Amino acid sequence: MLFDTHAHYDDDQFDTDRETLLASLPEHGVGLVLNPGCDLESSRKAVAYAETYPHVYAAVGIHPENIEGIELERDLPALEALAKSSHKVRAIGEIGLDYYWVKEPEQRRFQAEVFRAQMRLAGRLQLPVIIHDREAHLDSLTVVEQYPAVRGVFHCYSGSVEFAKRLLDLGYLLSFTGVITYKNAKKAVDVVRAVPLDRLMIETDSPYMAPVPYRGKRNSSLYVYRMAEAIAEIKEIPLEEVITQTTENGKRLFGI
Ligand code: NI
């Protein structure tokens, strides 16, 4: 049974077939899905899907690209209430830093403030975190080091082998998208080879990042098997072992 640990079913690319697609996943071998939120509205939708489908779980969070207009005194309590509203909320995410899209120092400072507030929330609620780190490796590390009691995953991992080892030492897991199926993905492939199987998870990041041979199409959890195949090939181990262990890792992290 496969576990797609990161998919955004609130995206409007799923408006035409969301219900049938989500309902059909278990019969295609995808027994678990975690849908993270990116702002309050998408977090509410994530909780609604989790309440509707037994195999879907939710995370709630404010993504670093969605901090415009955020007021922590108003929005953080709302996020906390949402996290407590359903036993199927199993993480705070996705949260983190994005320096690819955000260049302005003042905005980056505010990203870090929103990130830290959500790390504290995760600590209070004893929930793991789902971290988005794009071109902000060192600053992301600085923040997670400040909250040693919090565990989680660096999703769509894009750092080096050396950086991966520092995250593993802090107790974090790494998860991989369709990027590991791309021809130019040497860096990610090296990381997959170096990281023990019991610290890896797989995800689609749907509707984005579709794996080969679906690259450029709308992604969905139906394609998560491609990441398992890629890891099996890179690590030269049986596919079944990758599927079983990555699902086990996700269940352990998210308390499923
Ligand atoms: Ni995402």
Side-chain angles (χ1 to χ4, degrees):
M1 174 184 94
L2 290 149
F3 186 173
D4 182 359
T5 60
H6 195 114
H8 299 278
Y9 282 102
D10 53 289
D11 193 283
D12 54 19
Q13 291 188 51
F14 292 111
D15 283 354
T16 52
D17 62 348
R18 183 177 295 108
E19 283 74 27
T20 24
L21 178 58
L22 278 170
S24 76
L25 293 175
E27 68 201 53
H28 290 104
V30 183
L32 289 166
V33 173
L34 192 133
N35 192 127
C38 291
D39 54 24
L40 279 172
E41 197 198 335
S42 68
S43 296
R44 267 182 214 114
K45 287 179 179 167
V47 175
Y49 306 147
E51 287 288 303
T52 306
Y53 303 96
H55 53 284
V56 177
Y57 287 80
V60 300
I62 298 160
H63 189 288
E65 281 175 52
N66 296 69
I67 58 165
E68 212 185 301
I70 292 293
E71 285 175 39
L72 282 174
E73 311 75 56
R74 177 195 64 197
D75 296 329
L76 205 68
L79 199 65
E80 176 163 358
L82 198 53
K84 290 173 171 167
S85 71
S86 163
H87 78 285
K88 293 196 77 188
V89 175
R90 294 302 169 89
I92 300 298
E94 57 183 288
I95 63 177
L97 300 173
D98 191 312
Y99 290 175
Y100 179 81
W101 292 109
V102 176
K103 312 279 185 204
E104 226 268 293
E106 195 50 47
Q107 284 183 311
R108 287 183 175 183
R109 265 195 294 280
F110 188 48
Q111 279 193 347
E113 190 182 330
V114 174
F115 183 15
R116 281 195 300 270
Q118 295 181 95
M119 289 295 287
R120 285 194 293 275
L121 176 64
R124 266 206 312 282
L125 301 181
Q126 298 191 326
L127 288 172
V129 289
I130 299 167
I131 293 180
H132 172 103
D133 155 26
R134 191 158 185 204
E135 296 187 8
H137 303 321
L138 282 178
D139 288 355
S140 298
L141 181 67
T142 303
V143 172
V144 298
E145 276 178 339
Q146 288 168 350
Y147 304 93
V150 177
R151 293 286 174 270
V153 56
F154 273 66
H155 111 88
C156 193
Y157 183 75
S158 59
S160 65
V161 170
E162 195 177 76
F163 184 65
K165 286 181 175 158
R166 296 177 73 175
L167 297 177
L168 295 180
D169 286 344
L170 289 170
Y172 279 79
L173 282 84
L174 309 179
S175 83
F176 288 89
T177 60
V179 168
I180 56 170
T181 67
Y182 301 168
K183 274 209 156 55
N184 57 355
K186 192 185 173 305
K187 193 173 166 193
V189 166
D190 287 344
V191 176
V192 169
R193 199 173 282 126
V195 172
L197 186 61
D198 66 354
R199 307 296 288 279
L200 292 177
M201 298 198 303
I202 52 176
E203 59 165 297
T204 56
D205 205 10
S206 297
Y208 317 105
M209 318 290 278
V212 171
Y214 311 104
R215 200 170 176 180
K217 296 204 169 91
R218 184 191 75 174
N219 200 1
S220 85
S221 303
L222 294 173
Y223 301 154
V224 73
Y225 74 95
R226 287 290 299 125
M227 277 55 91
E229 285 180 345
I231 291 174
E233 197 176 308
I234 293 163
K235 288 179 116 36
E236 298 178 35
I237 54 178
L239 176 61
E240 237 358 273
E241 190 182 338
V242 175
I243 293 174
T244 307
Q245 187 64 53
T246 53
T247 295
E248 207 44 57
N249 300 343
K251 288 168 79 173
R252 185 170 13 99
L253 179 66
F254 298 120
I256 295 167

